[in-house]
């Protein structure tokens, strides 16, 4: 998994004004290797208003596009099918939830970042460098799932590099406000053994980042952004000291369940 400072940079590049998206993806795995992918996206009204300002003719953004969500199934791997989708609306904002089914988790092609499988208002792709999970599942008693992730990339330290200035940091704080992103897997049974750092009951969390909690401590946020870890151990120490951040850093997670 990428260290947090690189994830932050990716978020800024991907979402721009729409940094306050709230996204969640949960993969639910059955003992036979099949299962579902459940995704939700919510966009606060303030962000929708920003999109509308820049849209042609100031047309309100189209948050829910069922056809586009159906097409996304074909990019998730062999045997993935669209099940259902519904629009979500509240006083806080608008969004959608969508469910896909898969027949074999070994054939899934799911990116680590939930935002990369979704589209923003008006069909804007949440693109960027792809970092897919690789799943290896063996049924049995217990069933064993191994999830491989690309190794973290570290930016070489440059002498005298002080990091972003205060103006840039203030801009990042505004852009990241209300952004929350969750990625997890739930297995159909009790986990008997796992090396995952964040697991509870039948659920393993790969990423759970709540930037409102991160931004609640401006000094720590500033130190985090300016940090440039050079090893996975340094990245772990950086992440563990931040409220509102859970990111799995192991290159491979193993889950045994029955």
């Amino acid at each position: 998994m990428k260290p947090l400072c690189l994830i932050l940079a990716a978020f800024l590049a991907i979402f721009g004004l729409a940094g306050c998206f709230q996204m969640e993806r949960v993969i639910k795995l059955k003992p036979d290797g099949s299962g579902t992918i459940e995704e939700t996206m919510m966009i606060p009204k303030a962000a929708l208003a920003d999109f509308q300002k820049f849209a042609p003719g100031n047309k309100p953004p189209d948050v829910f596009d069922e056809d586009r969500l159906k097409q996304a199934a074909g990019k998730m791997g062999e045997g993935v099918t669209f099940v259902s989708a519904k629009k979500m609306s509240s006083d806080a904002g608008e969004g959608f939830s969508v469910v896909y089914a898969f027949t074999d988790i070994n054939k899934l092609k799911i990116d680590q970042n939930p935002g990369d499988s979704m589209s923003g208002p008006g069909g804007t792709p949440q693109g960027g460098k792809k970092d897919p999970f690789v799943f290896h599942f063996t049924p049995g008693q217990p069933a064993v799932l191994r999830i491989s992730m690309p190794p973290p990339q570290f930016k070489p330290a440059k002498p005298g590099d002080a990091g972003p200035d205060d103006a840039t940091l203030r801009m990042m704080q505004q852009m990241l406000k209300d952004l929350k992103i969750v990625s997890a897997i739930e297995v159909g049974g009790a986990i008997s053994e796992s090396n995952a750092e964040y697991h509870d009951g039948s659920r393993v969390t790969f990423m759970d980042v709540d930037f409102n909690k991160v931004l609640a401590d401006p000094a720590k946020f500033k130190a985090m952004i300016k940090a440039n870890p050079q090893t996975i151990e340094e990245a772990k120490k950086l992440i563990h000291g931040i409220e509102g951040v859970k990111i799995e850093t192991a290159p491979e997670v193993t889950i045994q369940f029955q």
Side-chain angles (χ1 to χ4, degrees):
M1 183 66 69
K2 300 174 183 176
L4 182 59
C5 53
L6 294 182
I7 292 172
L8 284 167
F11 282 155
L12 290 172
I14 291 170
F15 298 111
L17 288 173
C20 46
F21 283 24
Q22 297 175 4
M23 296 168 290
E24 178 174 325
R25 177 203 291 134
V26 179
I27 299 172
K28 295 188 176 181
L29 176 64
K30 298 178 182 178
D32 64 358
S34 65
T36 60
I37 304 162
E38 300 182 6
E39 298 181 337
T40 61
M41 174 183 280
M42 287 295 293
I43 306 173
K45 287 190 174 180
L48 292 170
D50 284 335
F51 274 116
Q52 186 171 352
K53 290 177 186 177
F54 295 96
N58 289 332
K59 182 181 178 181
D62 182 12
V63 176
F64 179 72
D65 186 330
E66 187 168 326
D67 289 338
R68 191 165 68 245
L69 294 174
K70 289 179 178 179
Q71 293 170 8
K75 301 177 182 179
M76 294 183 179
E78 182 181 342
V80 179
T81 54
F82 172 86
V83 176
S84 64
K86 64 179 180 180
K87 184 174 182 178
M88 301 168 63
S89 184
S90 69
D91 292 340
E94 296 185 15
F96 60 83
S97 64
V98 58
V99 179
Y100 302 95
F102 59 87
T103 56
D104 184 354
I105 194 170
N106 294 302
K107 298 178 181 180
L108 281 188
K109 296 179 180 178
I110 300 293
D111 196 84
Q112 291 185 46
N113 176 11
D116 280 350
S117 68
M118 302 182 182
S119 292
T124 304
Q126 309 302 328
K129 184 179 182 296
K130 302 300 181 182
D131 288 312
F133 289 113
V134 178
F135 300 96
H136 305 277
F137 177 71
T138 304
Q141 292 293 327
V144 179
L145 175 66
R146 291 185 293 111
I147 308 107
S148 299
M149 294 173 280
Q153 303 170 6
F154 296 103
K155 180 181 177 182
K158 296 181 180 180
D161 185 1
D165 58 24
D166 288 344
T168 301
L169 285 170
R170 286 194 295 271
M171 179 187 70
M172 293 174 72
Q173 287 175 307
Q174 183 60 36
M175 294 171 73
L176 292 170
K177 182 179 180 292
D178 294 332
L179 174 60
K180 184 172 183 179
I181 184 166
V182 176
S183 176
I185 186 166
E186 293 181 2
V187 295
I191 296 176
S192 56
E193 185 177 337
S194 179
N195 68 326
E197 185 165 1
Y198 305 104
H199 66 89
D200 182 28
S202 61
R203 183 177 176 123
V204 168
T205 298
F206 299 110
M207 181 187 298
D208 187 339
V209 182
D210 184 340
F211 278 95
N212 281 346
K213 292 182 179 180
V214 174
L215 296 171
D217 188 337
K220 188 167 288 187
F221 172 76
K222 183 182 294 187
M224 174 188 68
I225 295 298
K226 292 188 174 183
N228 186 16
Q230 296 299 297
T231 67
I232 191 65
E233 291 304 319
E234 290 180 5
K236 285 182 181 180
K237 290 180 181 178
L238 175 65
I239 291 169
H240 290 169
I242 303 169
E243 178 70 19
V245 176
K246 294 179 181 178
I247 298 177
E248 179 60 61
T249 57
E252 182 175 278
V253 169
T254 300
I255 305 170
Q256 294 186 16
F257 66 97
Q258 55 187 10

